[in-house]
Amino acid sequence: MKYRILSAFSLAAIVLAIAACSGGGNSTTSTTSTTSTGQVVDSPVMGLKYVCGVSSGLTDGSGNYSYTKGDSCTFSVGNVTVGTLASVPQDGIVTPQDLAVVLRSNTEDLNVLAIAQFLQSIDSGATPGVITISSAVTAALSASSVPAQSILTDGLCFGSTSATNCQTKLAALVSTATAGKNSLVSTTKAKAALDAGMLSAKVSNLKGLVPTTNAAIQICSSSDTSYSGQFALCAASTCTATGKDMIVADITGEKHTYKEMTCTCPVITGSGIADVKGGNMQGSCATPAASTKYPNPIWSLFSTIPSYPQQSADPAYTTTNSTGQICPGTGTQMVTNCWSFLCSIDAAQTNGVTTATCTCPLGENLSGNPVAANTPFYTQAGGAIVPSTGVASPTAQAAACNLNPVGAPIALPSTH
């Protein structure tokens, strides 16, 4: 088994909408130069002020902005400058990493996290999967009592050499922006959401997020005739112990014993992302022959699709939109990893949705080793959006944390 990536769930659906460049926002543009449309993402950021050369305005509902090739750009909320680019990236997408001038695979940098924390914390929550900066937030940060300031002045947050000072100032800024309604999102949660956003927007090098050989990360697609054309997406699944153990080898070949879990996951038709040297895959996307345990076999794979049937919907699988959560991992809470493990399509549908039963290890971390006790983890289980309220049920989310959901253990360096 190779190193893991966020445990076979669609991070696009967990916290973010899939990236789309479909509009120009409310902007004014040059009449003499050809303008292009770019996008600002942590998740897509709406209502962020931008000035790119002669183009300016607010990013639209997809996080889109207008620019001309070669433009420098400044992004801000009221009197607070979020960041400035000397020139727009070739793909037009702007990430916190771009603003902090680090590699896009680096989502642990303190400056990157400061931007992510700020944007996520001032989100009005109006649209799931989109960071919405309301006019009220912009007005609050435009007040004369808020001095002109830049989050990234001289490097570490607000030019301070202290990570604690950075967090204190960010918290105060968020409180001012939201009239005390929102608190500062933690670095742990901000990083998890940012990782999700990078995959959703397809700007992060997947192989860079998974310390494994490039050959191990593959797209299982319909062009591969050995692949069944379907996969299980276990992002929002909770799991049940079988009472048995399963043995999984890590990247060094050392074997570890885990409790065996079964997870019921919706079946998706199309391409998925696999670690073909991980889980119990055998080096390719080829679907194995049927067996007694897996009479109708498919793999549990990773995907960036933005929505899919949610197990925690009421009735089950009748809702496709969702949000993610951080489970504390305390007590008996433990994450299940289902990426690149074998499943079998169930004989009967549930509420018209085809599902598969997957067999996965409990408590396996991203390096293929056992998860340490009391490790928080990110999951989408329990996060089905309730249509009548537009948000997930807190009760359902809390319950899911105790049901060994599929997810990814989260561990940041102690400096964070």
Side-chain angles (χ1 to χ4, degrees), residues 30-81:
S30 169
T31 59
T32 58
S33 301
T34 301
T35 58
S36 300
T37 298
Q39 185 187 40
V40 180
V41 292
D42 174 310
S43 18
V45 182
M46 176 183 181
L48 183 68
K49 181 181 178 181
Y50 67 89
V51 178
C52 298
V54 296
S55 298
S56 64
L58 299 177
T59 53
D60 69 9
S62 295
N64 295 334
Y65 69 99
S66 295
Y67 70 98
T68 301
K69 184 176 181 181
D71 278 348
S72 62
C73 291
T74 296
F75 299 90
S76 60
V77 183
N79 297 330
V80 179
T81 298

Side-chain angles (χ1 to χ4, degrees), residues 22-227:
S22 57
N26 53 334
S27 63
T28 59
T29 59
S30 169
T31 59
T32 58
S33 301
T34 301
T35 58
S36 300
T37 298
Q39 185 187 40
V40 180
V41 292
D42 174 310
S43 18
V45 182
M46 176 183 181
L48 183 68
K49 181 181 178 181
Y50 67 89
V51 178
C52 298
V54 296
S55 298
S56 64
L58 299 177
T59 53
D60 69 9
S62 295
N64 295 334
Y65 69 99
S66 295
Y67 70 98
T68 301
K69 184 176 181 181
D71 278 348
S72 62
C73 291
T74 296
F75 299 90
S76 60
V77 183
N79 297 330
V80 179
T81 298
V82 177
T84 298
L85 292 172
S87 62
V88 176
Q90 187 173 2
D91 59 7
I93 296 175
V94 176
T95 71
Q97 298 94 303
D98 297 323
L99 295 173
V101 197
V102 299
L103 294 175
R104 284 179 172 175
S105 60
N106 185 352
T107 56
E108 293 188 355
D109 178 82
L110 280 174
N111 292 310
V112 170
L113 288 175
I115 294 173
Q117 287 179 276
F118 175 68
L119 292 175
Q120 293 171 26
S121 300
I122 62 174
D123 178 17
S124 70
T127 305
V130 176
I131 293 175
T132 303
I133 301 172
S134 68
S135 57
V137 165
T138 297
L141 294 181
S142 300
S144 58
S145 57
V146 179
Q149 55 195 293
S150 173
I151 292 176
L152 296 185
T153 300
D154 297 325
L156 182 62
C157 189
F158 298 103
S160 171
T161 57
S162 165
T164 299
N165 290 346
C166 172
Q167 295 298 298
T168 299
K169 194 162 185 178
L170 281 173
L173 199 57
V174 168
S175 180
T176 297
T178 63
K181 295 178 181 178
N182 294 2
S183 57
L184 181 66
V185 169
S186 69
T187 53
T188 300
K189 186 173 182 180
K191 181 184 183 301
L194 181 59
D195 282 335
M198 296 303 94
L199 290 169
S200 299
K202 299 181 181 179
V203 298
S204 213
N205 181 353
L206 184 63
K207 296 168 185 175
L209 293 178
V210 186
T212 184
T213 60
N214 288 350
I217 308 300
Q218 295 183 18
I219 303 295
C220 296
S221 69
S222 55
S223 62
D224 182 353
T225 57
S226 68
Y227 166 62

Side-chain angles (χ1 to χ4, degrees), residues 376-403:
F377 55 90
Y378 195 98
T379 183
Q380 194 175 345
I385 299 297
V386 179
S388 61
T389 64
V391 296
S393 163
T395 301
Q397 287 191 300
C401 287
N402 295 315
L403 296 175

Side-chain angles (χ1 to χ4, degrees), residues 257-278:
T257 300
Y258 300 96
K259 289 184 178 180
E260 182 184 78
M261 311 296 289
T262 58
C263 316
T264 301
C265 314
V267 173
I268 307 299
T269 298
S271 299
I273 303 170
D275 178 356
V276 297
K277 295 182 181 179

